Amino acid sequence: MTIITFLLIGWILNWFKFEKLIIQAFKELFNKDVSKATYYFLFFSVGVFGDVVLLIQGAYYDYFLDK
């Protein structure tokens, strides 16, 4: 669920041209040209990390066993 949430956040920030800021930051910091795919992959990676943390904490088990 966290993956979808962060991809949705990335999509909404895309409306405000936030991806251009991220792409420019990568270009200046790392001297690498990146695309929008990298922008969405960044949000996907944060979402995966969030899901793994929730899994380790046992939050998923609590959610599914309480219902």
Side-chain angles (χ1 to χ4, degrees):
M1 186 68 173
T2 309
I3 297 171
I4 295 170
T5 303
F6 273 95
L7 286 174
L8 185 62
I9 290 170
W11 182 60
I12 291 171
L13 288 174
N14 190 25
W15 295 345
F16 303 104
K17 305 300 180 200
F18 188 72
E19 85 280 356
K20 290 184 180 183
L21 175 74
I22 297 294
I23 290 171
Q24 185 66 28
F26 266 87
K27 190 173 188 177
E28 290 179 9
L29 290 173
F30 305 114
N31 201 21
K32 298 284 183 184
D33 289 329
V34 296
S35 65
K36 282 188 178 184
T38 306
Y39 169 75
Y40 284 110
F41 182 74
L42 179 68
F43 282 96
F44 175 79
S45 299
V46 171
V48 167
F49 181 73
D51 274 344
V52 168
V53 168
L54 288 175
L55 184 65
I56 291 171
Q57 289 179 344
Y60 280 129
Y61 300 118
D62 294 340
Y63 179 75
F64 288 115
L65 292 177
D66 287 341
K67 290 188 174 193

